[in-house]
């Protein structure tokens, strides 16, 4: 132990003064009493050292001396030295995706404990905490108070969304002051190749080094048949060991059915359930001995099947062939009559029909000219494209996009597929300018589009955790409340930006003044795949590690207070005996 202020050593005169007081205070004359002469021989040893006798039997003196000596030490600023962290500034990039819930204790809890340790070892150096969600968020910036850092770390929560680590790392680099900053990444797995091109920075990656057993529900679908409801559950084992369990499907009406399953390592199976009793909202649950439970459930809603669509005769015949392959009735209508149809979705290229009440699948545009494009299609993870990946699709020309629409897929930064605030779907290309009809994903996209356009009025749709989306909500009050079962979560005000879905997967009720709708949040397939990583370090910080001082004063103050309490108790007992 060292001291930071030796000048206060002069205060040691205070305990010396107390000792002198005890030595030279008034002495009393001893008077021999005949009845005690018998004990004189036995007391000679103690009488030879009268001052030692007083010290041995004066507890109050000891307590006073101990408190004074500790006060002197406290004034001198005692501290203990410890090896600090390398770097002059620290940035914590925290993965808050659903996969961080894997393990027991969860990977997120393990990383929180590591963050607490590093925050305490920072020794007052600035620390910035950034979450790596869909868009990076700074929780604290260059915070130096350890208590505030620990409070922020304890308040971290998993938001179930996809982690955008590349974007978060770029953002963290922009926050770093100089080359002395060290970026600590807390995640389950981060490939070294993603940091290979990042030079001039020091990175420390804290990963999940142990592979975990994991099985999940990949898909859950419902259909209404003659013998009742038919459900199909697709389950997969993503681990390297064989797992056995059961799949249970339940409805809001109380219907329950279960089947045993055995999943080999890396295998996928489809489990059908036939003849289920009627129900509206259903849940599929995989009960199995894995170490990641967040992906073991999925909810679905039973909707009325759509078997008809009104098709504009101006569209290419391949569109009608795509709907025919789905077993749907495509009613071919002249362009001037298709806008008058009701009761089913419309497929057309007439942009003026977007203002009609009927749902519209726009394939191309009749009010603009296309421009040549090149490049690969980039698309977002959205329910509309869940069954229709766009890999290998070639598009030569695109029409201009719509302002205010959500872009689901793009080519070279130009919109290819958009979603309107009312739920209409716009494909900004003529079918004949693509090879999409030759791809198996084309009829699947048509099916997803029709299902999306024909959703019932009491179902708001399928969302991903924390997804922002424009929705068609209208009520007299303009306010909607979101509930999970009977628990209130949040409110949404019409016209105050895009609607934000809840974070946790499950079924929610969106309640307006005179209307209520169901909303289902589903975990993305990306968050159902666990990856075991490693902990490693890349780069060196310009500022080397230095010792950190930990003050001993708080502990000394606590001991001094306890001594004062004991001294008061001794004094009180002494007064009481007089």
């Amino acid at each position: 132990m060292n001291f930071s202020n030796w000048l206060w050593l002069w205060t040691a005169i205070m305990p010396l003064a107390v000792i002198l007081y005890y030595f030279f205070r008034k002495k009393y004359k001893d008077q021999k009493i005949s009845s005690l002469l018998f004990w004189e021989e036995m007391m000679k040893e103690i009488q030879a050292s009268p001052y030692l006798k007083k010290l041995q039997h004066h507890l109050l003196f000891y307590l006073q001396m101990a408190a004074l000596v500790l006060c002197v030490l406290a004034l001198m600023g005692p501290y203990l030295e410890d090896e600090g962290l390398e770097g002059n500034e620290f940035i914590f990039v925290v993965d808050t995706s659903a996969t961080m819930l894997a393990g027991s204790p969860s990977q997120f809890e393990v990383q929180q404990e590591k963050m607490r340790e590093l925050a305490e070892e920072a020794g007052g150096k600035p620390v910035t905490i950034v979450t790596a969600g869909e868009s990076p968020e700074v929780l604290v910036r260059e915070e130096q108070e350890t208590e505030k850092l620990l409070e922020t770390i304890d308040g971290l929560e998993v938001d179930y969304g996809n982690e955008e680590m590349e974007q978060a790392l770029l953002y963290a680099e922009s926050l770093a002051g100089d080359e002395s900053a060290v970026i600590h990444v807390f995640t389950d797995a981060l490939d070294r190749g993603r940091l290979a091109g990042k030079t001039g920075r020091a990175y420390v990656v804290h990963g999940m080094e142990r592979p975990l057993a994991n099985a999940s529900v990949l898909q859950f679908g419902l259909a209404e048949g003659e013998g009742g409801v038919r459900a199909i559950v697709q389950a997969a084992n993503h681990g390297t060991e064989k797992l056995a369990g059961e799949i249970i499907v339940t409805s809001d009406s109380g219907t329950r059915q279960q089947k045993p399953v055995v999943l080999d390592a890396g295998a996928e199976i489809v489990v059908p359930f036939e003849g289920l009793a009627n129900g509206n909202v259903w849940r599929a649950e995989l009960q199995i001995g894995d170490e990641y439970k967040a992906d073991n459930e999925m909810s679905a809603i039973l909707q009325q099947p759509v078997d008809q669509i009104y098709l504009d005769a101006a569209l290419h015949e391949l569109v009608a062939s795509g709907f025919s392959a789905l077993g749907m009735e495509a009613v071919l209508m002249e362009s001037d009559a298709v806008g008058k149809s009701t009761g089913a979705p419309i497929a057309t290229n007439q942009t003026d029909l977007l203002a009609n009440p009927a749902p519209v699948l726009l394939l191309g545009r009749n009010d603009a000219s296309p421009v040549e494009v090149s490049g690969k299609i980039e698309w977002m993870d959205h329910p509309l494209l869940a069954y229709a990946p766009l890999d290998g699709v070639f598009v030569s020309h695109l029409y201009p996009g719509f302002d205010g629409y959500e872009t689901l897929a793009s080519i070279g930064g130009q919109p290819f597929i958009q979603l309107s605030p009312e739920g209409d779907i716009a494909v900004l290309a003529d079918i004949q300018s693509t090879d999409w009809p030759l791809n198996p994903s084309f009829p699947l996209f048509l099916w997803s589009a029709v299902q999306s356009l024909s959703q019932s009025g009491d179902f708001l749709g399928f969302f991903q955790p924390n997804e922002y989306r424009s929705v068609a909500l209208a009520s007299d009050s303009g306010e909607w409340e979101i509930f999970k079962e009977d628990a209130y979560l949040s409110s949404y005000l019409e016209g105050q930006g895009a609607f934000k879905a809840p974070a946790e997967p499950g079924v929610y009720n969106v309640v307006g003044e005179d209307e209520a709708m169901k909303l289902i949040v589903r975990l993305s397939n990306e968050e159902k795949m666990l990856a075991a990583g490693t902990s490693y370090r890349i780069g060196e910080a310009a500022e080397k590690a230095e010792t950190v001082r930990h003050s001993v004063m708080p502990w000394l103050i606590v001991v001094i207070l306890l001594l004062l309490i004991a001294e008061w108790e001794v004094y009180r007992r002494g007064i009481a005996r007089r």
Side-chain angles (χ1 to χ4, degrees):
M1 184 173 64
N2 297 318
F3 299 94
S4 60
N5 199 340
W6 285 95
L7 294 177
W8 287 98
L9 185 59
W10 67 268
T11 57
I13 194 174
M14 291 186 292
L16 294 176
V18 173
I19 293 176
L20 291 175
Y21 165 76
Y22 273 90
F23 280 176
F24 297 103
R25 67 179 180 175
K26 182 178 180 180
K27 300 180 179 61
Y28 297 93
K29 181 179 179 181
D30 292 336
Q31 181 67 43
K32 291 185 177 181
I33 301 175
S34 57
S35 61
L36 298 177
L37 292 178
F38 176 76
W39 300 101
E40 285 186 353
E41 292 298 325
M42 297 180 61
M43 299 295 294
K44 285 182 180 180
E45 184 71 21
I46 299 177
Q47 289 178 347
S49 305
Y51 293 110
L52 180 60
K53 171 188 173 183
K54 294 179 180 180
L55 291 177
Q56 288 175 340
H57 296 280
H58 211 307
L59 181 58
L60 190 60
F61 170 77
Y62 291 128
L63 294 173
Q64 290 174 341
M65 288 302 300
L68 284 172
V69 171
L70 291 179
C71 285
V72 172
L73 292 177
L75 291 172
M76 293 172 63
Y79 62 87
L80 298 174
E81 288 188 343
D82 192 11
E83 188 73 14
L85 293 177
E86 177 182 348
N88 199 40
E89 178 186 356
F90 309 103
I91 299 177
F92 293 173
V93 179
V94 187
D95 183 354
T96 56
S97 62
T99 54
M100 296 293 288
L101 293 173
S104 180
S106 70
Q107 177 68 7
F108 193 73
E109 293 173 332
V110 173
Q111 299 290 34
Q112 275 185 307
E113 185 60 32
K114 290 181 181 178
M115 282 185 274
R116 293 188 193 99
E117 295 175 0
L118 292 177
E120 293 177 346
E121 293 176 11
K125 295 179 181 179
V127 177
T128 300
I129 300 179
V130 181
T131 56
E134 185 175 348
S135 58
E137 181 182 358
V138 178
L139 301 183
V140 291
R141 177 73 185 275
E142 296 182 355
E143 182 60 52
Q144 294 178 279
E145 294 185 13
T146 303
E147 291 184 2
K148 180 64 178 297
L149 288 172
L150 295 178
E151 180 181 349
T152 303
I153 293 170
D154 290 337
L156 288 171
E157 294 181 349
V158 172
D159 62 9
Y160 293 90
N162 298 335
E163 56 91 358
E164 297 293 340
M165 188 58 69
E166 190 69 27
Q167 186 178 359
L169 291 177
L170 290 174
Y171 189 58
E173 290 178 355
S174 68
L175 296 176
D178 50 35
E179 294 183 354
S180 65
V182 180
I183 299 176
H184 289 262
V185 183
F186 301 89
T187 183
D188 48 0
L190 181 63
D191 190 82
R192 289 176 179 266
R194 300 174 69 176
L195 299 177
K198 300 181 181 297
T199 58
R201 294 287 181 196
Y203 288 87
V204 180
V205 177
H206 307 270
M208 179 173 61
E209 301 184 6
R210 182 174 67 90
L212 301 178
N214 177 36
S216 67
V217 176
L218 289 182
Q219 299 293 342
F220 177 38
L222 300 168
E224 191 170 5
E226 296 181 357
V229 177
R230 183 173 187 265
I232 295 179
V233 181
Q234 182 185 13
N237 182 359
H238 308 290
T240 58
E241 297 181 0
K242 186 176 181 179
L243 297 174
E246 60 181 3
I247 294 178
I248 304 172
V249 293
T250 56
S251 73
D252 53 359
S253 62
T255 302
R256 174 187 172 95
Q257 193 174 120
Q258 61 191 55
K259 287 187 177 182
V261 293
V262 177
L263 290 168
D264 293 327
E268 294 184 9
I269 61 172
V270 175
V271 182
F273 291 83
E274 304 283 353
L276 299 173
N278 290 330
N280 187 29
V281 180
W282 293 75
R283 184 184 70 169
E285 181 183 0
L286 174 62
Q287 292 188 353
I288 204 164
D290 64 348
E291 299 177 88
Y292 179 38
K293 305 300 182 183
D295 61 351
N296 289 7
E297 292 185 9
M298 183 176 287
S299 299
I301 190 168
L302 183 64
Q303 302 182 72
Q304 294 298 323
V306 177
D307 56 4
Q308 188 181 69
I309 187 169
Y310 295 112
L311 192 62
D312 194 329
L315 296 178
H316 197 278
E317 61 182 11
L318 289 174
V319 178
S321 299
F323 284 115
S324 298
L326 298 172
M328 295 182 61
E329 180 185 357
V331 180
L332 197 64
M333 304 183 69
E334 295 297 329
S335 297
D336 56 353
V338 69
K340 302 175 183 178
S341 59
T342 58
I346 298 172
T348 183
N349 65 347
Q350 302 179 55
T351 55
D352 56 341
L353 295 184
L354 293 171
N356 285 11
V360 173
L361 171 60
L362 192 71
L363 298 168
R365 295 183 63 167
N366 66 341
D367 62 342
S369 300
V371 296
E372 187 175 354
V373 294
S374 62
K376 296 178 62 176
I377 299 177
E378 298 180 354
W379 69 92
M380 64 182 295
D381 196 357
H382 190 274
L384 187 62
L385 302 173
Y387 303 97
L390 301 176
D391 302 89
V393 175
F394 170 76
V395 179
S396 62
H397 291 77
L398 283 180
Y399 288 98
F402 293 92
D403 294 334
Y405 282 28
E406 181 183 7
T407 299
L408 305 183
S410 61
I411 303 175
Q414 299 186 50
F416 173 41
I417 301 176
Q418 289 187 305
L419 188 67
S420 77
E422 291 75 25
D424 296 323
I425 301 169
V427 179
L428 301 170
D430 292 322
I431 294 302
Q432 56 268 29
S433 65
T434 78
D435 64 353
W436 200 3
L438 304 177
N439 194 297
S441 67
F442 181 66
L444 294 175
F445 171 78
L446 295 179
W447 178 84
S448 296
V450 173
Q451 295 298 317
S452 176
L453 293 172
S454 59
Q455 287 177 354
S456 60
D458 59 352
F459 180 55
L460 193 58
F462 294 101
F463 288 77
Q464 291 189 6
N466 298 306
E467 179 185 351
Y468 284 92
R469 187 191 301 178
S470 298
V471 293
L473 288 175
S475 66
D476 295 336
S477 64
E479 181 178 3
W480 296 79
E481 295 180 333
I482 303 174
F483 293 84
K484 186 169 186 181
E485 296 179 348
D486 295 328
Y488 168 80
L489 296 181
S490 61
S491 296
Y492 169 70
L493 298 177
E494 297 172 17
Q496 300 296 316
F499 178 85
K500 182 182 180 182
E504 187 175 355
V507 181
Y508 296 85
N509 294 314
V510 182
V511 182
E513 188 173 5
D514 300 315
E515 189 178 2
M517 289 182 287
K518 296 288 186 182
L519 177 152
I520 294 179
V521 177
R522 285 179 166 182
L523 201 64
S524 68
N525 284 341
E526 181 181 342
E527 291 303 311
K528 297 177 182 180
M529 305 294 293
L530 291 182
T534 58
S535 299
Y536 57 90
R537 182 186 187 92
I538 292 180
E540 296 290 337
E543 183 73 15
K544 298 301 180 182
E546 59 185 31
T547 57
V548 177
R549 294 182 176 182
H550 301 282
S551 178
V552 185
M553 285 188 62
W555 300 102
L556 289 179
I557 292 174
V558 172
V559 175
I560 291 172
L561 290 175
L562 293 176
L563 289 174
L564 291 177
I565 294 173
E567 184 180 335
W568 167 252
E569 180 64 17
V570 172
Y571 177 76
R572 186 187 65 82
R573 289 174 179 269
I575 293 294
R577 287 196 297 265
R578 292 181 180 178

